[in-house]
Amino acid sequence: MMQQITGNIEIRNEQPSDYRTVEELTRKAFWNVYIPGCYEHYLVHTMRDHPDFVPELAFVLTVDGAIVGDVMFTKAKLTDENDEIKQVLTLGPIAIHPDYQHMGLGKKLIAHSLERAKHLGFDTVVLMGDPQNYVGAGFKSAMRYDVSIGRHQYMTALLLKELQPHCLAGHAWHFHSSPIMDVDPAVADEFDQTFEPLEKKWQPSQETFYIISRSFMAQ
């Protein structure tokens, strides 16, 4: 059963004064979830200066003025069978503070940002993630849209949402993420030293992530 939240909820664009708070929040949300520790807060830090970053789609969600959620988007591309390029968006990272998870705030933040993305003229959003976390927000397997990572390899974790119906119809697509997603673990670990120490440890969600992120769907 989803918990109910009390307090005034607001979604607004991220401001420079929010940067460190957003990085700390992202770190807390992802710590030990997918690997011992995490790199998502470093990714958030570096994304802002990358040309693929879309600042208009960087949002924070507040409860009574305190930031408890954030989401960011980068530009990516699809290429079809004729090597024609289509610009799309990649959603992520998206983070909700551990104390506010399972309250519907992530879904609310996604809905708000996707509506804004549609208003800006984007028609397709792709993400890499656990399907059970995103199908409720309207994302489906990228395989349904014939979007692969090459040679008809359909990743289980590759999900997609059309903001304009049938905008991908009639083509076979290959997804190319932004180079910003290629994180150097050594540099990320050095950046992490600027935060308060947290214990790195193993937990079952890391094995789940290992399985999902390396599995493919059969045609």
Side-chain angles (χ1 to χ4, degrees):
M1 182 177 178
M2 185 177 295
Q3 301 179 53
Q4 297 297 315
I5 189 168
T6 59
N8 182 50
I9 299 172
E10 180 185 359
I11 298 175
R12 60 170 174 80
N13 282 106
E14 181 192 58
Q15 302 298 318
S17 58
D18 301 324
Y19 287 177
R20 186 66 174 190
T21 300
V22 166
E23 291 161 11
E24 291 173 346
L25 164 62
T26 303
R27 184 174 185 249
K28 290 177 182 177
F30 284 96
W31 195 258
N32 293 332
V33 174
Y34 298 136
I35 60 171
C38 73
Y39 298 140
E40 282 79 6
H41 58 309
Y42 172 72
L43 179 59
V44 165
H45 179 73
T46 58
M47 282 173 64
R48 299 188 185 103
D49 294 325
H50 196 277
D52 288 338
F53 178 58
V54 186
E56 297 90 344
L57 297 177
F59 292 104
V60 297
L61 184 149
T62 65
V63 175
D64 292 334
I67 296 175
V68 301
D70 64 85
V71 66
M72 291 185 171
F73 289 78
T74 51
K75 296 175 184 176
K77 65 180 182 180
L78 301 178
T79 54
D80 68 10
E81 63 280 357
N82 299 313
D83 291 327
E84 295 293 327
I85 297 174
K86 178 180 178 63
Q87 187 177 85
V88 298
L89 289 173
T90 300
L91 187 160
I94 177 170
I96 301 296
H97 190 283
D99 292 344
Y100 288 86
Q101 293 176 5
H102 311 298
M103 297 180 180
L105 297 182
K107 190 173 182 179
K108 187 182 295 290
L109 190 54
I110 290 174
H112 177 92
S113 59
L114 293 186
E115 185 60 34
R116 181 57 181 165
K118 183 178 179 180
H119 178 75
L120 292 176
F122 294 99
D123 61 23
T124 304
V125 180
V126 183
L127 65 83
M128 298 283 286
D130 187 338
Q132 68 177 349
N133 293 334
Y134 297 100
V135 294
F139 283 83
K140 298 180 180 180
S141 169
M143 184 177 178
R144 292 186 179 275
Y145 304 94
D146 205 359
V147 175
S148 68
I149 62 168
R151 294 184 177 274
H152 301 288
Q153 294 179 306
Y154 300 97
M155 293 187 67
T156 303
L158 189 63
L159 308 175
L160 187 147
K161 181 177 176 65
E162 288 183 324
L163 302 182
Q164 296 292 345
H166 313 300
C167 64
L168 300 178
H171 296 279
W173 302 97
H174 179 190
F175 173 65
H176 308 264
S177 63
S178 170
I180 193 59
M181 297 300 176
D182 299 326
V183 173
D184 183 332
V187 179
D189 284 337
E190 183 178 353
F191 174 71
D192 187 66
Q193 298 304 309
T194 66
F195 294 79
E196 65 173 324
L198 291 176
E199 181 186 1
K200 294 183 179 181
K201 61 183 180 180
W202 181 90
Q203 58 186 31
S205 60
Q206 295 169 21
E207 185 63 18
T208 300
F209 172 72
Y210 183 89
I211 294 168
I212 292 175
S213 63
R214 289 164 175 78
S215 64
F216 292 82
M217 301 179 65
Q219 289 181 283

